[in-house]
Amino acid sequence: MLIEKFIEKKQIKEAEAENIKKEFREFQGTEEEFLLQKKLLNDHEMNVLKSEAYNMPSFEKIDILDVSGDVLSLIPEDSARFYKIIPLSLNGNVLDVGMVDPDDIKAQEVIDFLSRQNKIKHNTYVINNNSFKSFLKKYRDMGEEVGKALSNLEKELGGRNENVDFNNVEKKTKTEKLSEDAPIIKMVAVILRHAVDGGASDVHIEPEEKQLRIRFRMDGSLFASLFLPIHTHASIVTRIKILSNLRIDETRVPQDGRFSAKIDNKLVDFRVSTFPTKLGEKVVIRVLDPTENLRNYEEIGLSGYNLDVVKEAVKKPFGLILTTGPTGSGKTTTIYSILKELNNPDVNVVTLEDPIEYFISGVNQSQIRPEIGYDFSHGLRSVVRQDPDIIMVGEIRDEDSASLVTHAALTGHIVLSTLHTNNAIGSISRLIDMKVKPFLIPATLNLVVAQRLAHTLCPYCKEKVRPNKEVEKEIIRQMDDLPESNKKYFTIPKELFVYKPKGCPKCNMKGEKGRIGVFEVLKMSRGIEQVILEDYSTVNLAKEARKQGMITMRQDAIIKALQGIISIEEVFRITEEQKI
């Protein structure tokens, strides 16, 4: 119904309409999920389409609704989740209800039943699936949920927990038992679920003198989210160790582990690291949500010239593709995006990682263990005997691994890896410093992607402003300096505007939400090869890179700022001027 309405509304030609229908027949999901995932419609357009299709008013701006607990209780969470219906607001004796699927007879019957049960009337609105998923988070308040679990724990312990001596071996057994009690299990589950719901990349569980601090890292920054009584520390840590199959009686040395949990019907991996401190063990949990991090090229921020060059390079049958940048710049995410594109049933993909970040179906992923002599160099020697088509090596760390990676790329394999350099051009010097013969580099290296991560502006509250004279002068200078071949990808507006963060409920009043990559892509060409072999210097390499069309990270960042994706302040924070 929705696809037919979409085709009719957009006046799509017959051939294209048949392709859309064919793609949907092979798609595992609903019509709405298909249209949204294929980006044929955005959330607002979906609301308009559904409103017309079902002849029912739509409800938008659900994310900024302030819904009280009394209103939420009118439709219990289990019912809301199962029937995809939510309480929007209560005006007097009339409840506004949002429905994802107005054709669902069972959902209509449940709404009628709940109305009769609560002796109220109701109005029904159509909503999109993304808004529905976002709304479900309103049922959950981490402080309130943990508070209830903590209250239950206090009752179970009868107030004796303040005096527990966790250095006593006998009492440690009691701690282990306590970690398996319902309140502790509930606390850990709530913390993990809120980390996933909030898009946190890490959870820090840190003992202080008088309290236990829980912090979430979101968009690169740490935020204190919860404080618990210090007596819960050992039980929470023990619970996490049990989940991760770590030794619960070992608190003197760091330990590493991982576990998986199903949260909101999706399997999320958690990587655990414990670390002994003066006040007890600190735990850091890396949240590895595959639905959030296995992204396509456009989602990570590749566009225009950079996107075209990457797509061209990954089509080559062999050669080395490098991503470079400091720790936390998104190199691994970019590598995984390329792997996602290359992973097909007709190729053998083998990876060497330390650690394995995300599990990818169909890829043979191997964990490096230097403590037993299984490092990247030893792993690479074994991998090439596994008949691989594509090899991913987590990092080129030394001369040995650089030599092995180069020769693997030279002998007919696609090799992906990361390197620590400040920019794309610096990767050539770094490989030479690692004793890779200069004449081997043009024959093996296909592409270098240098990158940084920038905070993206909240699309709901960003403000359009004129840049000051100094900033405007720098923007014009950088845009005028774009290679001619690159100007076709971006039209410079006659009147320059940039955007600044403001703050709204959807971004927790920060003005920024999420991060995106800013890139600099260097491809191997005949000109670059001549510079490396005949007249190598970073200056000559930079000049040749400009001739072939490469844009700097600052130029890519400025383009994103003019498009309203990031702020101009973010441009100058994460990039440095590089003349090429």
Side-chain angles (χ1 to χ4, degrees):
M1 178 182 181
L2 287 180
I3 289 179
E4 291 289 351
K5 186 72 177 177
F6 168 75
I7 290 170
E8 176 190 335
K9 184 178 175 67
K10 295 288 185 177
Q11 297 182 341
I12 294 173
K13 294 180 180 178
E14 188 175 343
E16 189 181 348
E18 284 304 315
N19 285 334
I20 290 173
K21 291 176 183 178
K22 182 182 177 182
E23 281 189 57
F24 174 66
R25 286 193 292 270
E26 299 170 356
F27 180 78
Q28 300 295 319
T30 66
E31 289 182 297
E32 179 175 349
E33 289 168 341
F34 173 79
L35 292 169
L36 289 173
Q37 283 190 28
K38 293 294 182 180
K39 296 188 177 179
L40 297 172
L41 294 174
N42 59 34
D43 284 353
H44 170 70
E45 291 169 334
M46 176 57 71
N47 281 344
V48 173
L49 182 72
K50 292 181 77 172
S51 178
E52 293 175 0
Y54 293 111
N55 193 26
M56 180 184 292
S58 65
F59 196 100
E60 299 200 42
K61 298 184 178 179
I62 285 176
D63 286 348
I64 59 175
L65 272 181
D66 186 12
V67 184
S68 69
D70 291 340
V71 175
L72 287 174
S73 66
L74 294 173
I75 300 181
E77 183 179 357
D78 288 345
S79 299
R81 187 178 296 279
F82 187 80
Y83 295 105
K84 293 194 173 182
I85 55 176
I86 54 175
L88 300 169
S89 63
L90 183 63
N91 303 302
N93 197 37
V94 180
L95 176 68
D96 291 336
V97 180
M99 294 184 72
V100 173
D101 183 8
D103 279 344
D104 189 336
I105 304 299
K106 290 288 185 184
Q108 293 173 8
E109 290 174 353
V110 168
I111 294 172
D112 291 336
F113 170 77
L114 292 171
S115 294
R116 291 195 303 271
Q117 187 181 51
N118 293 288
K119 298 179 181 178
I120 56 176
K121 299 177 182 179
H122 67 267
N123 291 327
T124 310
Y125 295 84
V126 68
I127 59 173
N128 67 66
N129 200 46
N130 287 342
S131 294
F132 166 74
K133 290 178 180 178
S134 177
F135 184 93
L136 288 178
K137 297 173 187 176
K138 297 182 186 295
Y139 280 99
R140 303 165 180 171
D141 179 88
M142 183 168 63
E144 185 178 327
E145 287 189 85
V146 171
K148 288 178 182 177
L150 189 60
S151 176
N152 291 335
L153 179 63
E154 300 289 353
K155 289 176 183 177
E156 288 186 16
L157 296 176
R160 291 177 285 105
N161 41 344
E162 300 94 329
N163 302 315
V164 174
D165 178 9
F166 292 119
N167 293 317
N168 183 284
V169 176
E170 183 182 349
K171 294 284 178 72
K172 280 184 181 178
T173 305
K174 293 179 181 179
T175 303
E176 181 183 350
K177 290 177 180 177
L178 183 62
S179 71
E180 295 177 347
D181 284 347
I184 292 295
I185 292 174
K186 177 72 171 175
M187 280 188 212
V188 173
V190 168
I191 290 167
L192 296 178
R193 193 177 65 200
H194 276 267
V196 174
D197 284 349
S201 61
D202 300 89
V203 181
H204 290 241
I205 300 172
E206 304 164 313
E208 298 180 337
E209 284 191 17
K210 296 182 180 180
Q211 60 189 0
L212 179 65
R213 180 171 64 168
I214 313 294
R215 293 195 291 171
F216 290 166
R217 185 177 294 280
M218 302 173 72
D219 297 336
S221 301
L222 275 171
F223 298 94
S225 301
L226 186 67
F227 292 93
L228 297 174
I230 191 62
H231 62 69
T232 62
H233 169 241
S235 300
I236 288 175
V237 171
T238 301
R239 174 63 185 162
I240 293 168
K241 283 184 172 182
I242 290 170
L243 290 170
S244 311
N245 290 318
L246 300 179
R247 289 184 58 184
I248 61 174
D249 59 340
E250 180 57 82
T251 61
R252 301 164 300 171
V253 296
Q255 296 187 70
D256 295 310
R258 66 190 302 154
F259 65 94
S260 299
K262 203 166 188 179
I263 296 178
D264 290 344
N265 294 318
K266 61 182 177 182
L267 196 64
V268 180
D269 292 323
F270 298 94
R271 196 175 75 228
V272 175
S273 173
T274 68
F275 185 76
T277 73
K278 179 183 177 182
L279 299 173
E281 286 183 287
K282 173 181 175 176
V283 177
V284 174
I285 304 172
R286 170 63 59 89
V287 182
L288 304 171
D289 184 350
T291 62
E292 292 295 323
N293 290 281
L294 291 180
R295 304 174 182 175
N296 60 36
Y297 297 143
E298 291 82 358
E299 288 171 334
I300 65 175
L302 285 168
S303 60
Y305 169 82
N306 290 340
L307 178 60
D308 288 349
V309 171
V310 170
K311 285 183 174 180
E312 178 188 339
V314 299
K315 289 178 181 177
K316 294 183 178 180
F318 63 90
L320 177 61
I321 296 175
L322 291 176
T323 61
T324 78
T327 301
S329 60
K331 299 188 297 296
T332 303
T333 300
T334 300
I335 286 283
Y336 273 104
S337 296
I338 296 172
L339 269 184
K340 182 182 174 184
E341 294 292 322
L342 293 173
N343 182 26
N344 294 307
D346 57 346
V347 294
N348 179 24
V349 185
V350 185
T351 74
L352 296 170
E353 304 177 58
D354 185 22
I356 295 173
E357 293 280 354
Y358 303 99
F359 292 116
I360 307 175
S361 177
V363 175
N364 304 286
Q365 296 173 267
S366 183
Q367 169 73 54
I368 291 301
R369 298 192 183 279
E371 68 275 9
I372 61 172
Y374 182 47
D375 56 17
F376 284 118
S377 298
H378 284 83
L380 266 167
R381 290 185 176 94
S382 299
V383 164
V384 293
R385 294 193 289 270
Q386 287 287 312
D387 186 31
D389 298 292
I390 300 163
I391 303 170
M392 192 272 262
V393 181
E395 184 183 344
I396 299 175
R397 292 182 176 175
D398 50 36
E399 293 178 12
D400 198 14
S401 58
S403 175
L404 288 167
V405 161
T406 303
H407 282 90
L410 195 62
T411 53
H413 305 94
I414 296 174
V415 182
L416 310 173
S417 192
T418 67
L419 200 63
H420 285 280
T421 62
N422 288 329
N423 52 50
I425 291 169
S427 62
I428 307 292
S429 300
R430 185 80 179 106
L431 288 173
I432 293 173
D433 289 342
M434 287 181 163
K435 310 301 182 187
V436 176
K437 301 293 184 184
F439 71 86
L440 288 176
I441 294 176
T444 57
L445 185 63
N446 287 345
L447 187 76
V448 181
V449 180
Q451 64 184 92
R452 300 289 188 277
L453 285 179
H455 290 96
T456 51
L457 290 166
C458 174
Y460 299 97
C461 65
K462 63 184 179 184
E463 282 190 309
K464 189 176 182 180
V465 296
R466 286 293 304 270
N468 63 43
K469 293 295 181 183
E470 187 177 342
V471 170
E472 185 175 23
K473 184 178 178 181
E474 173 65 5
I475 292 173
I476 292 171
R477 188 176 72 83
Q478 291 286 350
M479 292 298 96
D480 285 345
D481 202 39
L482 280 174
E484 285 300 322
S485 60
N486 227 308
K487 291 182 180 179
K488 66 180 180 181
Y489 293 101
F490 180 74
T491 304
I492 303 171
K494 292 181 179 179
E495 194 172 8
L496 293 178
F497 287 96
V498 292
Y499 297 79
K500 68 176 185 178
K502 181 180 179 183
C504 71
K506 284 201 173 187
C507 60
N508 293 323
M509 306 310 294
K510 293 189 296 182
E512 295 174 327
K513 190 174 180 67
R515 291 188 293 176
I516 196 168
V518 172
F519 297 93
E520 178 178 282
V521 179
L522 174 68
K523 68 176 180 178
M524 185 55 63
S525 64
R526 179 62 183 161
I528 296 291
E529 179 182 353
Q530 286 182 327
V531 171
I532 294 172
L533 297 179
E534 299 172 8
D535 190 19
Y536 178 75
S537 72
T538 54
V539 173
N540 290 338
L541 200 59
K543 288 179 181 177
E544 184 57 40
R546 174 178 169 75
K547 285 182 184 178
Q548 74 172 25
M550 188 184 90
I551 65 173
T552 65
M553 248 182 284
R554 173 160 288 193
Q555 289 170 331
D556 186 44
I558 286 176
I559 290 171
K560 286 180 168 69
L562 294 175
Q563 292 171 334
I565 299 171
I566 65 176
S567 68
I568 196 67
E569 290 79 12
E570 192 73 353
V571 171
F572 297 120
R573 184 185 73 82
I574 65 168
T575 67
E576 57 185 22
E577 184 177 355
Q578 180 186 347
K579 294 180 180 179
I580 63 171

